[in-house]
Amino acid sequence: DWTNARRSELVNKTYCYDAAFASRGGNDTSVDDTSYKTQLKSLIRLLAQGSNCQANPVIFVTAHMPDSQGSISSLRPLFVDRVRAAVNELQASESIRVRFIDMFTPFATNQATTAFPNPSWTTGSNAFDINKIGREGDGLHPRRFASIYAGEIAANAINMGDLGGSSSPT
């Protein structure tokens, strides 16, 4: 829906951006992999057409952070694997500056960051602590600390060299 609502902004290059973040929502769990990847690649291609100030922006595609829709093993194929596959397919076949950022696995592995040196986002070997990650009474949307952690994970994953506006893909 977002892509359809904003398609003209992207096609007409209404805004200036050197970098864009693209992702699909976690509520896409019922969408089959082929349709999901096709729609995600369509969004990435629209963003990669450039903006009114940058002909070749870098597109960061993020895996969805965890929510209350399942176990780590059940969500990984939906939130990580098919997103990474779509990015890999575009990198292999097109000259698009697209990068994958995994926002899911660091939660699953309790990856330490500067702001979170000892995170504990899981309750067991295959379960997220949704009481800690999700809003109170709303496990589909993150609490503030989980959002801050996700932002730090994304920031740490960015290669600053990608932000230089290179005219050729790397």
Side-chain angles (χ1 to χ4, degrees):
D1 289 343
W2 185 95
T3 302
N4 290 334
R6 305 295 190 294
R7 183 175 304 279
S8 66
E9 294 173 8
L10 297 172
V11 171
N12 295 327
K13 301 181 181 185
T14 304
Y15 299 103
C16 172
Y17 56 87
D18 294 319
F21 280 81
S23 65
R24 292 286 308 259
N27 58 348
D28 291 335
T29 55
S30 63
V31 178
D32 69 272
D33 290 351
T34 301
S35 297
Y36 182 98
K37 290 188 329 184
T38 298
Q39 292 169 3
L40 180 58
K41 287 193 245 182
S42 175
L43 171 60
I44 295 166
R45 287 182 184 110
L46 282 169
L47 291 165
Q49 289 177 4
S51 68
N52 67 24
C53 67
Q54 173 58 260
N56 192 22
V58 61
I59 313 303
F60 297 103
V61 181
T62 60
H64 196 280
M65 62 182 286
D67 64 25
S68 63
Q69 295 182 82
S71 66
I72 293 170
S73 60
S74 70
L75 293 176
R76 183 176 307 282
L78 301 172
F79 286 9
V80 180
D81 298 345
R82 65 184 179 175
V83 178
R84 185 188 318 267
V87 169
N88 289 345
E89 289 166 15
L90 284 172
Q91 288 174 329
S93 66
E94 301 181 30
S95 296
I96 294 176
R97 296 176 62 210
V98 60
R99 309 292 183 262
F100 173 74
I101 297 177
D102 188 345
M103 304 277 285
F104 181 91
T105 303
F107 279 91
T109 61
N110 294 306
Q111 178 180 315
T113 66
T114 301
F116 295 85
N118 297 301
S120 178
W121 301 111
T122 58
T123 61
S125 63
N126 196 33
F128 289 111
D129 186 347
I130 294 304
N131 291 326
K132 188 180 285 185
I133 295 171
R135 289 184 194 161
E136 192 171 324
D138 179 6
L140 295 178
H141 297 97
R143 287 180 181 258
R144 182 170 291 152
F145 280 134
S147 293
I148 292 168
Y149 179 77
E152 188 174 13
I153 292 298
N156 288 344
I158 293 174
N159 177 340
M160 296 304 285
D162 282 337
L163 301 179
S166 169
S167 60
S168 62
T170 56

